[in-house]
Amino acid sequence: MISLAEITAATHALLATAERLDDRDVREPSLLPGWTRGHVLTHVARNADGGTRLLTWARTGVETREYPSLEARAAEIEEGAYRPARVLLEDVRQSAQRFAAAFTLMPDEAWGRVVQWTAGARHPASRAADARLTEVLVHHVDLDAGFGPADWPASLTTRMLTAVTASYSRRDGAPDLRIRATDTGEEHGRGDVLVTGSAAALLAWLMGRSPGTGLTGAEGVTLPFLY
């Protein structure tokens, strides 16, 4: 399972980037269509609170939903996106501290208890730790402020390449891909279309964070937006 130390290190790195952003910077576009950097930072903060509620549910047995609804989640992000940079930063910091406190309170047996995410999926609570680390690392790249896919740890790229290629295989209309990481040797998928490149570059492309520059075989391949 993902450790709190991994999540904390990734969060500190994101906070260091956010500390360099001023009020003008946070109004600039992020890598996510229609979202500013302020939207991304607000989302990261609200995600921490949603994860805190899921861990609390697993620990106490009292249902505490991640978000009231997907619509309420979107409204919170939109409402919070236009705050001053210092307020956004502190929100990310404090919400991360709340998540860390909830993580620390979890007894070993609670990690296996099943809770429900807002979209309806049900997973053991340990998935909340995996999801939180992924959110922090991926959305750090989305800030488009100096932290890029090459900065992702190998543990993330390996885990996510497996998950993303599996997701594509279940999607109607998704390309039938096989990907091979030239730096790690790992290969995923069984499709007829082979795309090669570094693990981080492949993941960035598959997740819509890169046009695929530097990859071999990506030309002309249209990908659905995944995450």
Side-chain angles (χ1 to χ4, degrees), residues 24-224:
R24 179 178 296 181
D25 293 330
V26 297
R27 303 291 176 263
E28 293 295 320
S30 72
L31 294 184
L32 290 174
W35 271 18
T36 66
R37 291 185 177 117
H39 285 87
V40 173
L41 291 171
T42 301
H43 170 60
V44 171
R46 298 291 70 77
N47 171 263
D49 285 337
T52 297
R53 288 188 286 270
L54 289 175
L55 295 185
T56 301
W57 181 354
R59 178 174 60 85
T60 66
V62 177
E63 183 175 311
T64 49
R65 293 273 177 168
E66 182 190 22
Y67 304 104
S69 66
L70 292 175
E71 294 76 17
R73 168 184 174 270
E76 276 194 305
I77 293 169
E78 185 64 27
E79 181 180 348
Y82 303 99
R83 294 172 293 169
R86 60 178 178 78
V87 177
L88 290 164
L89 174 66
E90 197 57 29
D91 190 14
V92 174
R93 190 191 313 278
Q94 292 185 10
S95 60
Q97 291 171 350
R98 291 190 290 270
F99 181 86
F103 191 112
T104 302
L105 287 172
M106 288 283 285
D108 290 344
E109 65 272 14
W111 290 110
R113 293 173 186 157
V114 174
V115 293
Q116 182 170 314
W117 271 250
T118 307
R122 295 177 62 83
H123 300 289
S126 59
R127 180 70 69 89
D130 299 348
R132 178 58 183 170
L133 180 61
T134 301
E135 291 280 334
V136 172
L137 288 169
V138 172
H139 291 311
H140 193 171
V141 168
D142 290 332
L143 289 176
D144 195 20
F147 181 93
D151 298 307
W152 283 333
S155 56
L156 174 82
T157 57
T158 295
R159 176 167 58 88
M160 289 301 294
L161 281 174
T162 301
V164 169
T165 51
S167 175
Y168 277 135
S169 70
R170 297 190 297 268
R171 285 189 170 213
D172 293 335
D176 196 15
L177 291 177
R178 179 163 51 100
I179 60 171
R180 182 184 301 142
T182 54
D183 53 341
T184 65
E186 60 190 298
E187 188 168 317
H188 302 277
R190 298 180 179 179
D192 296 327
V193 179
L194 174 64
V195 181
T196 63
S198 72
L202 286 166
L203 181 58
W205 175 65
L206 290 170
M207 297 178 72
R209 270 64 181 187
S210 161
T213 304
L215 298 178
T216 300
E219 302 85 357
V221 177
T222 300
L223 299 174

